[in-house]
Amino acid sequence: MPEADIDHTVLKNLLASVGHDEAFFQVLVSTYLEDTPEQLAAMQQAVDSADPDQFRRAAHSLKSNSSNFGAHNLAEISKELEEFGRSGTLMGVAPRLIQAEAEFQKVQRELESLLSRGVSSL
Amino acid sequence: MNANKAAAGHILAVDDNKVNRLLLSRALQELGYTFELAENGRQALAMVRQQAFDAMLLDIVMPVMDGYQVLEYLKGDPALRQLPVIVISAVDDLDSVIRCIEMGAEDYLPKPFNPLLLKARLGASLEKKKLHDLEKAYLEQEMRLQTSEKLASIGRLSAGMAHELNNPAAATQRGALQLGKALHDHRSASMELLARPLEPPQIEALTSLERRIAAAVAQPAVLDPMQRSDLESELEDWLEAFSVTQAWELAPTLAAMFHSRDDLSQLESSFPRERIPPVTAWLASLAVLYELSASISQGAERIGRIVNALKSYTNLDQAPLQEVDLNECLDSTLAILEYRLEGVEINKEYGSLPRVPAYPLELNQVWLHLLDNALDALQGKGSVTLRTRWEDPAAVVEVEDTGPGIPQELQHRIFTPFFTTKPPGQGVGLGLSSSWNIVVNKHRGEMAFSSSNGYTRFQVRLPRQEFPD
């Protein structure tokens, strides 16, 4: 399985920024992993109801979260999705959205594996 | 979340992203702030209405109501306008950030946010707000002080006015009361005189004496008490020689009108002996009428002048900025203080001045303070000199007194608020400091003084240029 290339430096910085509170770090990661499917679903819904604003907001959220957790690829894709939303038209967004979903699968796997290995493995 | 205020501050963090809210709460907690969280703009606005916050961290991109709308709402509400807002935004979103700052956001925090940066930016905003609140409190305090000084000024003015009006009012009243009797007396005397027809030479003599009376009332002669007493005795003797009853009563009145017995002697040549008593009674009662008339008239005129001075002094805050004749201002201020001028010599050296744009009411306060201080220093003797001249592009006004002067060691403090050398109850010590404020800040002028033993001079420079305000 191709790696999601989670940037461990970013994760280490994040951990440091919360004072190496591992329990809190885990909560953060879990929240991200729960939140992302919601954002993806919101984007899908936005496509269905032709709502570029809602689409843009969800993409924006996903972008910033993914950056926070070192998921740069997903962040990049989210940035492009945000552009779609900003442009006002969601035409042709479907392939990108599928790509985001696929990328998230990888991110999820890697982060979950990381959590199970323990934060100190960073 | 509890709403107890911590020492650091109470913050409202607004972000629709759960992860961000987690990170923000964590960071705020670490920094010792208490906080509330909101998921969107509408929640945020509901919360600022319910609780007092020291600052807001605001995400821009949010559903329901976004950051722009929140900012617009906040800055449009006078009660909420002062709340510092730091927008949180992705770094590639600089345009949004700029837009937010244009709308009144104080600063921005890039995402993913750095706790150290949060600490610095939040700290700076709160500090700034604290300073702003302090400045506001100080300005309010200063306004209160100015108002109380103005009220004290008006109080002194009223006291001065009442004092000043007392004498002429009393004199006028007395005159009016006595007028009735005086008219009656003169009527009786006239009846008696006219019991016998008058010959032309007699009428001429009486007319000429009446003219003398009128002139004497208009310009009273100044006799020293000795001279006056001698004249009265002389006239009394003369009257008694003609069997005038109550010669001792008429003598003083006639002495005030005529300079010597010789003036009355022409009566001897014009009238038979037995007519002298009614003639002198007629003259005396006429003199009393003239005197009363003059006295009432003077009293009323004096009252009118004082009232005018007061009107011109206080009516001037109707039109804020006016072209002002400074010499007139000084005169009107002098008129207000006339009751204190006894024994003091006033020298006026007024130059020719163009009108100067100024706030007359406030400027008059300055002259009042300076003159007041000068008179206090003089304690009823010495002189005050008021000098004005034009030194392009400014008018220069000087108030100089020959009082004991301001001690060297105190000279650097005299413009300090509340500094006074007067005993308690006689002045708060705001006169010079508020005068300085009026001249320098309100009129963009200059105020200076020099003083040594026996001499104190205050100088005010008022430029003629237009100034904003």
Side-chain angles (χ1 to χ4, degrees):
Chain A
M1 271 284 173
E3 293 281 294
D5 290 330
I6 303 281
D7 188 340
H8 285 212
T9 312
V10 172
L11 286 177
K12 269 195 280 217
N13 286 343
L14 181 59
L15 178 60
S17 80
V18 298
H20 289 276
D21 184 340
E22 294 185 15
F24 185 66
F25 183 79
Q26 297 225 353
V27 170
L28 282 176
V29 173
S30 309
T31 308
Y32 171 55
L33 293 175
E34 282 163 24
D35 192 66
T36 305
E38 286 175 22
Q39 303 298 352
L40 291 168
M43 278 190 265
Q44 186 55 59
Q45 195 183 51
V47 171
D48 295 338
S49 52
D51 187 345
D53 277 336
Q54 184 190 11
F55 191 87
R56 182 180 59 97
R57 279 197 299 271
H60 179 92
S61 247
L62 184 55
K63 175 187 79 176
S64 72
N65 279 350
S66 304
S67 290
N68 274 358
F69 292 93
H72 294 309
N73 292 338
L74 186 49
E76 266 308 303
I77 300 167
S78 304
K79 186 168 171 186
E80 288 170 34
L81 288 171
E82 193 185 356
E83 278 309 307
F84 269 102
R86 227 196 276 262
S87 77
T89 171
L90 300 175
M91 295 242 311
V93 84
R96 273 282 179 238
L97 197 49
I98 293 169
Q99 203 184 359
E101 282 163 2
E103 184 62 26
F104 177 62
Q105 301 288 340
K106 298 184 206 161
V107 166
Q108 184 175 35
R109 254 196 309 277
E110 207 169 306
L111 283 176
E112 277 172 352
S113 141
L114 199 90
L115 286 184
S116 62
R117 283 204 305 276
V119 163
S120 42
S121 67
L122 276 173
Chain B
M1 291 290 167
N2 67 56
N4 289 332
K5 285 209 186 191
H10 193 55
I11 314 294
L12 177 59
V14 188
D15 198 319
D16 63 331
N17 185 309
K18 218 180 299 178
V19 172
N20 283 348
R21 287 201 299 277
L22 275 173
L23 287 169
L24 278 169
S25 6
R26 173 78 182 204
L28 288 172
Q29 208 167 47
E30 292 286 294
L31 292 172
Y33 294 103
T34 54
F35 57 89
E36 296 286 351
L37 301 173
E39 287 179 27
N40 57 54
R42 193 162 59 197
Q43 267 188 26
L45 288 177
M47 295 184 112
V48 290
R49 296 218 167 277
Q50 289 162 8
Q51 295 178 39
F53 291 99
D54 296 308
M56 185 189 288
L57 297 169
L58 181 64
D59 185 24
I60 302 179
V61 177
M62 290 183 294
V64 181
M65 194 191 273
D66 65 24
Y68 304 117
Q69 290 169 304
V70 172
L71 265 175
E72 195 178 330
Y73 204 90
L74 287 176
K75 297 307 168 185
D77 185 335
L80 298 171
R81 194 176 294 153
Q82 300 311 330
L83 182 66
V85 176
I86 300 175
V87 291
I88 321 173
S89 177
V91 182
D92 58 0
D93 230 345
L94 226 42
D95 284 336
S96 320
V97 168
I98 290 170
R99 187 175 152 196
C100 283
I101 291 182
E102 280 172 349
M103 289 178 74
E106 200 155 291
D107 206 343
Y108 82 102
L109 210 52
K111 278 202 273 205
F113 79 88
N114 180 324
L116 261 164
L117 209 52
L118 172 68
K119 176 180 178 180
R121 301 249 162 113
L122 205 48
S125 277
L126 291 176
E127 192 65 33
K128 195 163 145 193
K129 176 162 188 286
K130 219 190 300 178
L131 280 175
H132 178 94
D133 289 343
L134 274 175
E135 185 191 33
K136 196 161 143 217
Y138 172 77
L139 286 174
E140 279 171 6
Q141 175 78 320
E142 196 174 306
M143 278 225 35
R144 274 197 292 273
L145 278 177
Q146 276 192 13
T147 306
S148 83
E149 177 62 22
K150 221 181 264 191
L151 288 174
S153 234
I154 290 174
R156 276 205 311 280
L157 206 64
S158 310
M161 283 294 114
H163 190 105
E164 189 66 350
L165 286 169
N166 198 33
N167 282 347
T172 311
Q173 279 180 307
R174 267 198 314 272
L177 276 174
Q178 291 170 9
L179 193 59
K181 177 173 183 299
L183 273 171
H184 177 88
D185 289 347
H186 187 63
R187 259 199 88 225
S188 312
S190 297
M191 288 295 125
E192 244 219 85
L193 184 65
L194 297 172
R196 297 268 199 83
L198 292 172
E199 316 255 311
Q202 291 174 326
I203 294 175
E204 210 182 292
L206 288 179
T207 310
S208 137
L209 286 172
E210 179 174 354
R211 271 204 293 272
R212 299 286 295 281
I213 291 174
V217 168
Q219 285 211 302
V222 182
L223 289 175
D224 70 53
M226 283 295 275
Q227 286 176 301
R228 170 69 59 104
S229 178
D230 286 344
L231 183 58
E232 280 177 21
S233 302
E234 221 185 310
L235 290 177
E236 202 177 323
D237 291 341
W238 183 85
L239 289 166
E240 278 172 353
F242 286 93
S243 312
V244 172
T245 53
Q246 299 184 307
W248 59 274
E249 255 188 2
L250 266 57
T253 308
L254 294 175
M257 301 298 139
F258 305 110
H259 302 167
S260 79
R261 206 197 72 181
D262 298 332
D263 297 330
L264 290 171
S265 300
Q266 59 177 270
L267 289 178
E268 289 179 65
S269 46
S270 311
F271 290 89
R273 214 196 148 72
E274 65 276 10
R275 297 298 292 156
I276 296 289
V279 166
T280 51
W282 185 87
L283 278 174
S285 59
L286 183 63
V288 170
L289 274 177
Y290 267 93
E291 269 183 349
L292 284 178
S293 164
S295 168
I296 292 170
S297 168
Q298 274 164 16
E301 193 216 354
R302 178 141 188 73
I303 292 172
R305 271 196 292 134
I306 294 167
V307 169
N308 274 343
L310 187 59
K311 262 172 40 181
S312 91
Y313 192 85
T314 58
N315 251 13
L316 299 169
D317 60 348
Q318 304 297 352
L321 191 61
Q322 286 182 359
E323 295 275 310
V324 164
D325 180 332
L326 289 172
N327 293 339
E328 246 174 54
C329 280
L330 286 170
D331 280 343
S332 120
T333 310
L334 266 178
I336 306 267
L337 287 173
E338 217 165 306
Y339 73 101
R340 294 191 61 193
L341 296 181
E342 194 153 322
V344 172
E345 187 187 315
I346 303 286
N347 301 319
K348 300 205 281 192
E349 295 169 20
Y350 289 170
S352 161
L353 298 174
R355 286 176 171 260
V356 177
Y359 299 90
L361 183 62
E362 265 114 338
L363 261 194
N364 281 352
Q365 276 188 38
V366 175
W367 314 139
L368 186 66
H369 285 308
L370 292 179
L371 277 169
D372 222 16
N373 286 350
L375 292 171
D376 283 339
L378 291 177
Q379 295 282 315
K381 49 179 188 262
S383 73
V384 174
T385 304
L386 296 174
R387 236 176 259 120
T388 67
R389 60 178 180 274
W390 180 250
E391 276 179 18
D392 202 64
V396 177
V397 176
E398 287 177 354
V399 177
E400 190 175 309
D401 69 71
T402 56
I406 304 169
Q408 277 285 50
E409 63 273 13
L410 296 179
Q411 285 194 8
H412 68 286
R413 291 177 62 195
I414 63 167
F415 289 115
T416 315
F418 299 114
F419 173 77
T420 181
T421 54
K422 295 182 188 163
Q426 265 194 48
V428 177
L430 285 174
L432 279 178
S433 82
S434 80
S435 297
W436 195 88
N437 192 36
I438 290 168
V439 169
V440 173
N441 293 331
K442 196 119 201 221
H443 289 83
R444 306 282 195 273
E446 289 165 41
M447 188 156 168
F449 74 98
S450 63
S451 176
S452 58
N453 201 356
Y455 153 86
T456 303
R457 183 204 302 174
F458 276 84
Q459 190 188 83
V460 171
R461 255 170 198 285
L462 293 167
R464 201 196 173 168
Q465 88 260 9
E466 295 298 317
F467 47 87
D469 211 316

PDB file of all heavy atoms in Angstrom, chain B residues 322-326 328 353-358 390 464:
ATOM      1  N   GLN B 322     -14.806  82.174  17.197  1.00  0.00           N
ATOM      2  CA  GLN B 322     -15.195  83.499  16.706  1.00  0.00           C
ATOM      3  C   GLN B 322     -13.972  84.356  16.453  1.00  0.00           C
ATOM      4  O   GLN B 322     -12.898  84.083  16.965  1.00  0.00           O
ATOM      5  CB  GLN B 322     -16.025  84.220  17.767  1.00  0.00           C
ATOM      6  CG  GLN B 322     -17.429  83.719  17.927  1.00  0.00           C
ATOM      7  CD  GLN B 322     -18.168  84.537  18.961  1.00  0.00           C
ATOM      8  OE1 GLN B 322     -17.605  85.446  19.558  1.00  0.00           O
ATOM      9  NE2 GLN B 322     -19.419  84.240  19.160  1.00  0.00           N
ATOM     10  N   GLU B 323     -14.178  85.406  15.688  1.00  0.00           N
ATOM     11  CA  GLU B 323     -13.141  86.423  15.539  1.00  0.00           C
ATOM     12  C   GLU B 323     -13.302  87.344  16.750  1.00  0.00           C
ATOM     13  O   GLU B 323     -14.344  87.965  16.933  1.00  0.00           O
ATOM     14  CB  GLU B 323     -13.356  87.210  14.238  1.00  0.00           C
ATOM     15  CG  GLU B 323     -13.196  86.350  12.986  1.00  0.00           C
ATOM     16  CD  GLU B 323     -11.744  86.235  12.551  1.00  0.00           C
ATOM     17  OE1 GLU B 323     -11.085  87.283  12.451  1.00  0.00           O
ATOM     18  OE2 GLU B 323     -11.292  85.115  12.312  1.00  0.00           O
ATOM     19  N   VAL B 324     -12.264  87.440  17.539  1.00  0.00           N
ATOM     20  CA  VAL B 324     -12.392  88.093  18.839  1.00  0.00           C
ATOM     21  C   VAL B 324     -11.538  89.348  18.936  1.00  0.00           C
ATOM     22  O   VAL B 324     -10.393  89.365  18.473  1.00  0.00           O
ATOM     23  CB  VAL B 324     -11.970  87.082  19.942  1.00  0.00           C
ATOM     24  CG1 VAL B 324     -11.718  87.782  21.232  1.00  0.00           C
ATOM     25  CG2 VAL B 324     -13.019  86.010  20.101  1.00  0.00           C
ATOM     26  N   ASP B 325     -12.114  90.382  19.538  1.00  0.00           N
ATOM     27  CA  ASP B 325     -11.340  91.592  19.828  1.00  0.00           C
ATOM     28  C   ASP B 325     -10.767  91.427  21.221  1.00  0.00           C
ATOM     29  O   ASP B 325     -11.478  91.524  22.225  1.00  0.00           O
ATOM     30  CB  ASP B 325     -12.287  92.808  19.753  1.00  0.00           C
ATOM     31  CG  ASP B 325     -11.555  94.110  20.038  1.00  0.00           C
ATOM     32  OD1 ASP B 325     -10.546  94.097  20.767  1.00  0.00           O
ATOM     33  OD2 ASP B 325     -12.014  95.152  19.534  1.00  0.00           O
ATOM     34  N   LEU B 326      -9.473  91.187  21.308  1.00  0.00           N
ATOM     35  CA  LEU B 326      -8.869  90.861  22.590  1.00  0.00           C
ATOM     36  C   LEU B 326      -8.953  92.005  23.583  1.00  0.00           C
ATOM     37  O   LEU B 326      -9.124  91.797  24.787  1.00  0.00           O
ATOM     38  CB  LEU B 326      -7.403  90.448  22.387  1.00  0.00           C
ATOM     39  CG  LEU B 326      -7.235  89.083  21.710  1.00  0.00           C
ATOM     40  CD1 LEU B 326      -5.779  88.843  21.359  1.00  0.00           C
ATOM     41  CD2 LEU B 326      -7.740  87.966  22.603  1.00  0.00           C
ATOM     42  N   GLU B 328     -11.283  94.147  23.902  1.00  0.00           N
ATOM     43  CA  GLU B 328     -12.641  94.119  24.460  1.00  0.00           C
ATOM     44  C   GLU B 328     -12.787  93.041  25.516  1.00  0.00           C
ATOM     45  O   GLU B 328     -13.412  93.218  26.554  1.00  0.00           O
ATOM     46  CB  GLU B 328     -13.642  93.815  23.338  1.00  0.00           C
ATOM     47  CG  GLU B 328     -14.597  94.948  23.026  1.00  0.00           C
ATOM     48  CD  GLU B 328     -15.453  94.605  21.806  1.00  0.00           C
ATOM     49  OE1 GLU B 328     -16.098  93.542  21.820  1.00  0.00           O
ATOM     50  OE2 GLU B 328     -15.442  95.412  20.865  1.00  0.00           O
ATOM     51  N   LEU B 353      -5.013  95.812  17.526  1.00  0.00           N
ATOM     52  CA  LEU B 353      -4.950  94.388  17.201  1.00  0.00           C
ATOM     53  C   LEU B 353      -6.012  94.024  16.180  1.00  0.00           C
ATOM     54  O   LEU B 353      -7.141  94.476  16.291  1.00  0.00           O
ATOM     55  CB  LEU B 353      -5.209  93.538  18.456  1.00  0.00           C
ATOM     56  CG  LEU B 353      -4.265  93.627  19.629  1.00  0.00           C
ATOM     57  CD1 LEU B 353      -4.836  92.801  20.770  1.00  0.00           C
ATOM     58  CD2 LEU B 353      -2.893  93.086  19.248  1.00  0.00           C
ATOM     59  N   PRO B 354      -5.660  93.183  15.227  1.00  0.00           N
ATOM     60  CA  PRO B 354      -6.718  92.643  14.378  1.00  0.00           C
ATOM     61  C   PRO B 354      -7.505  91.611  15.186  1.00  0.00           C
ATOM     62  O   PRO B 354      -7.024  91.140  16.220  1.00  0.00           O
ATOM     63  CB  PRO B 354      -5.955  91.962  13.240  1.00  0.00           C
ATOM     64  CG  PRO B 354      -4.643  91.615  13.835  1.00  0.00           C
ATOM     65  CD  PRO B 354      -4.330  92.662  14.868  1.00  0.00           C
ATOM     66  N   ARG B 355      -8.683  91.268  14.715  1.00  0.00           N
ATOM     67  CA  ARG B 355      -9.439  90.233  15.402  1.00  0.00           C
ATOM     68  C   ARG B 355      -8.756  88.887  15.216  1.00  0.00           C
ATOM     69  O   ARG B 355      -8.188  88.615  14.174  1.00  0.00           O
ATOM     70  CB  ARG B 355     -10.872  90.178  14.849  1.00  0.00           C
ATOM     71  CG  ARG B 355     -11.671  91.354  15.348  1.00  0.00           C
ATOM     72  CD  ARG B 355     -13.072  91.415  14.760  1.00  0.00           C
ATOM     73  NE  ARG B 355     -13.812  92.445  15.460  1.00  0.00           N
ATOM     74  CZ  ARG B 355     -14.684  92.206  16.449  1.00  0.00           C
ATOM     75  NH1 ARG B 355     -14.937  90.975  16.794  1.00  0.00           N
ATOM     76  NH2 ARG B 355     -15.290  93.199  17.044  1.00  0.00           N
ATOM     77  N   VAL B 356      -8.815  88.083  16.259  1.00  0.00           N
ATOM     78  CA  VAL B 356      -8.117  86.803  16.254  1.00  0.00           C
ATOM     79  C   VAL B 356      -9.142  85.678  16.401  1.00  0.00           C
ATOM     80  O   VAL B 356     -10.055  85.804  17.204  1.00  0.00           O
ATOM     81  CB  VAL B 356      -7.121  86.760  17.449  1.00  0.00           C
ATOM     82  CG1 VAL B 356      -6.434  85.425  17.531  1.00  0.00           C
ATOM     83  CG2 VAL B 356      -6.126  87.881  17.346  1.00  0.00           C
ATOM     84  N   PRO B 357      -8.999  84.589  15.628  1.00  0.00           N
ATOM     85  CA  PRO B 357      -9.947  83.485  15.834  1.00  0.00           C
ATOM     86  C   PRO B 357      -9.687  82.833  17.188  1.00  0.00           C
ATOM     87  O   PRO B 357      -8.548  82.500  17.512  1.00  0.00           O
ATOM     88  CB  PRO B 357      -9.642  82.509  14.693  1.00  0.00           C
ATOM     89  CG  PRO B 357      -8.259  82.823  14.275  1.00  0.00           C
ATOM     90  CD  PRO B 357      -8.014  84.278  14.583  1.00  0.00           C
ATOM     91  N   ALA B 358     -10.758  82.684  17.986  1.00  0.00           N
ATOM     92  CA  ALA B 358     -10.561  82.140  19.332  1.00  0.00           C
ATOM     93  C   ALA B 358     -11.892  81.682  19.911  1.00  0.00           C
ATOM     94  O   ALA B 358     -12.947  81.926  19.348  1.00  0.00           O
ATOM     95  CB  ALA B 358      -9.958  83.218  20.236  1.00  0.00           C
ATOM     96  N   TRP B 390       0.516  93.576  18.636  1.00  0.00           N
ATOM     97  CA  TRP B 390       0.514  92.625  17.547  1.00  0.00           C
ATOM     98  C   TRP B 390       1.953  92.340  17.140  1.00  0.00           C
ATOM     99  O   TRP B 390       2.706  93.248  16.840  1.00  0.00           O
ATOM    100  CB  TRP B 390      -0.264  93.213  16.366  1.00  0.00           C
ATOM    101  CG  TRP B 390      -0.325  92.310  15.181  1.00  0.00           C
ATOM    102  CD1 TRP B 390       0.301  92.475  13.969  1.00  0.00           C
ATOM    103  CD2 TRP B 390      -1.028  91.075  15.081  1.00  0.00           C
ATOM    104  NE1 TRP B 390       0.026  91.446  13.127  1.00  0.00           N
ATOM    105  CE2 TRP B 390      -0.790  90.562  13.777  1.00  0.00           C
ATOM    106  CE3 TRP B 390      -1.840  90.354  15.949  1.00  0.00           C
ATOM    107  CZ2 TRP B 390      -1.334  89.360  13.335  1.00  0.00           C
ATOM    108  CZ3 TRP B 390      -2.386  89.165  15.496  1.00  0.00           C
ATOM    109  CH2 TRP B 390      -2.133  88.669  14.217  1.00  0.00           C
ATOM    110  N   ARG B 464      -2.643  83.908  14.752  1.00  0.00           N
ATOM    111  CA  ARG B 464      -3.851  84.249  14.027  1.00  0.00           C
ATOM    112  C   ARG B 464      -4.275  83.164  13.054  1.00  0.00           C
ATOM    113  O   ARG B 464      -5.369  83.182  12.559  1.00  0.00           O
ATOM    114  CB  ARG B 464      -3.613  85.546  13.261  1.00  0.00           C
ATOM    115  CG  ARG B 464      -4.915  86.196  12.917  1.00  0.00           C
ATOM    116  CD  ARG B 464      -4.717  87.227  11.870  1.00  0.00           C
ATOM    117  NE  ARG B 464      -6.030  87.709  11.459  1.00  0.00           N
ATOM    118  CZ  ARG B 464      -6.219  88.756  10.727  1.00  0.00           C
ATOM    119  NH1 ARG B 464      -5.185  89.431  10.316  1.00  0.00           N
ATOM    120  NH2 ARG B 464      -7.429  89.136  10.386  1.00  0.00           N
TER     121      ARG B 464
END
